Amino acid sequence: MSENTSEATPEKIQHTTPEQAAEKAAVLIESLPWLQRFRDQIIVIKYGGNAMVSEELQDAFAQDIAYLRFVGVKPVVVHGGGPQISQMLDRLSIPSEFKGGYRVTSTEAMSVVRMVLTGQVNPQLVARINAYGPFATGLSGEDAGLFRGRRRGVVIDGTEHDLGAVGDVVAVDPQPVLDQLAAGRIPVVSSIAPEHDNPGHSLNVNADAAASALAVALGAAKLVVLTDVAGLYADWPNRDSLVSHLTAAELRAMLPRLESGMIPKMQACLDAVDGGVDTAAIIDGRQPHSVLVEVFTEQGIGTEVVAQ
């Protein structure tokens, strides 16, 4: 027997069947029109919820954002940090209270909010993304006048309640973000805003609303909001009532009937579309790679809002 006979090593053996190859090709081809649509376009993604506390989901999100950048999309990430803020407040024995879906933020709590968002969550997310390419850079809404906020309360059953150092974004200067995008970077923005009427003080602003305001100011093609549910349900808790697509007018009519926790997210989508963003979507951040599924497939995932 010849001594020159060699056996193929396992890693050199072709394991992909023609059927598997065709399936993979179909997925790639399905993404083609969306790659054409969103190449060189800005997509603002609000990152939060369970996706922030699961190691697996953090990595999947970072991969999604890096993927967008590598295929020519310009992703901008805006994040809150509700779970991490609550955890730190508990550790420091600082009371935490919610009214109408918004966190009541005392002066003491505001220091913790800044510490967690800008000092913990932001650099961790930047590092996750940069594991797949040196693109991400951290920003705060306090940097270079990116956001300006004004204090707000919340109306519950006809009565307005004070929320402390909580505000709405009333002005956006998108130039700091545009500068980073022009340099090929992925801006990662924490949702804090200097108080417009009281320089030197900052406000805890809702990350959904901040992402929406930034998307409008940037002229973004799409806003994507990660949340902890599959999307908007027309008749919660009936899980068969998940809405996949609706117009701004339809959402506006539904808004008063929604649960308090869902209102800020859907209001953010509505404000974005009203402000000129082509589409806004809320998607289930508990599903790995939900951002890519939403952006690059025909059916998407979650609930999409369009102007009409």
Side-chain angles (χ1 to χ4, degrees):
M1 182 179 291
S2 170
E3 297 292 333
N4 295 326
T5 301
S6 62
E7 295 183 1
T9 56
E11 63 268 19
K12 292 182 179 179
I13 295 174
Q14 176 59 261
H15 294 290
T16 303
T17 67
E19 292 77 17
Q20 290 171 328
E23 184 178 346
K24 291 179 180 180
V27 171
L28 293 171
I29 290 300
E30 184 182 3
S31 70
L32 178 59
W34 309 108
L35 287 167
Q36 292 172 317
R37 177 180 175 185
F38 291 119
R39 183 171 177 82
D40 296 325
Q41 298 296 308
I42 297 171
I43 296 180
V44 176
I45 302 106
K46 185 270 177 172
Y47 175 63
N50 283 354
M52 300 186 75
V53 294
S54 158
E55 292 282 334
E56 177 192 4
L57 292 175
Q58 287 177 31
D59 277 336
F61 178 79
Q63 289 172 334
D64 287 3
I65 299 305
Y67 185 98
L68 292 176
R69 167 63 177 74
F70 276 116
V71 299
V73 181
K74 297 178 178 178
V76 175
V77 179
V78 178
H79 69 84
Q84 292 89 339
I85 292 170
S86 295
Q87 185 180 47
M88 184 62 72
L89 289 171
D90 288 343
R91 283 178 58 187
L92 298 175
S93 300
I94 299 174
S96 188
E97 180 185 3
F98 287 85
K99 293 180 180 179
Y102 293 90
R103 183 188 300 274
V104 178
T105 305
S106 64
T107 301
E108 186 179 23
M110 186 62 218
S111 297
V112 175
V113 169
R114 178 190 280 110
M115 175 179 68
V116 170
L117 292 187
T118 304
Q120 176 186 337
V121 176
N122 190 279
Q124 287 176 351
L125 180 53
V126 166
R128 290 269 182 183
I129 297 170
N130 283 342
Y132 301 99
F135 304 123
T137 185
L139 291 172
S140 163
E142 297 175 293
D143 292 337
L146 176 54
F147 293 149
R148 280 183 287 166
R150 184 168 285 126
R151 287 184 181 244
R152 61 158 298 162
V154 63
V155 177
I156 304 174
D157 297 327
T159 302
E160 182 160 350
H161 296 259
D162 180 55
L163 294 171
V166 172
D168 291 322
V169 174
V170 295
V172 179
D173 179 358
Q175 197 59 51
V177 171
L178 291 171
D179 289 345
Q180 295 296 334
L181 291 173
R185 303 299 183 193
I186 300 172
V188 179
V189 182
S190 61
S191 53
I192 298 175
E195 189 170 358
H196 183 66
D197 302 319
N198 192 6
H201 294 77
S202 290
L203 302 174
N204 181 15
V205 295
N206 179 270
D208 303 314
S212 177
L214 183 55
V216 171
L218 290 169
K222 189 176 183 74
L223 169 69
V224 178
V225 178
L226 272 69
T227 184
D228 292 340
V229 295
L232 176 64
Y233 291 89
D235 183 26
W236 177 258
N238 178 7
R239 295 189 178 274
D240 293 329
S241 66
L242 182 64
V243 179
S244 63
H245 182 92
L246 75 167
T247 66
E250 291 168 336
L251 175 56
R252 197 172 282 108
M254 290 178 64
L255 208 57
R257 305 194 305 270
L258 300 182
E259 286 194 302
S260 61
M262 185 59 74
I263 289 175
K265 301 179 187 307
M266 297 315 303
Q267 185 67 56
C269 290
L270 183 60
D271 290 345
V273 171
D274 284 346
V277 177
D278 291 341
T279 63
I282 63 166
I283 64 174
D284 193 345
R286 300 169 301 179
Q287 298 297 321
H289 304 297
S290 55
V291 172
L292 292 187
V293 174
E294 170 58 33
V295 174
F296 291 128
T297 65
E298 177 67 32
Q299 297 299 320
I301 188 172
T303 301
E304 183 180 63
V305 182
V306 296
Q308 56 184 8

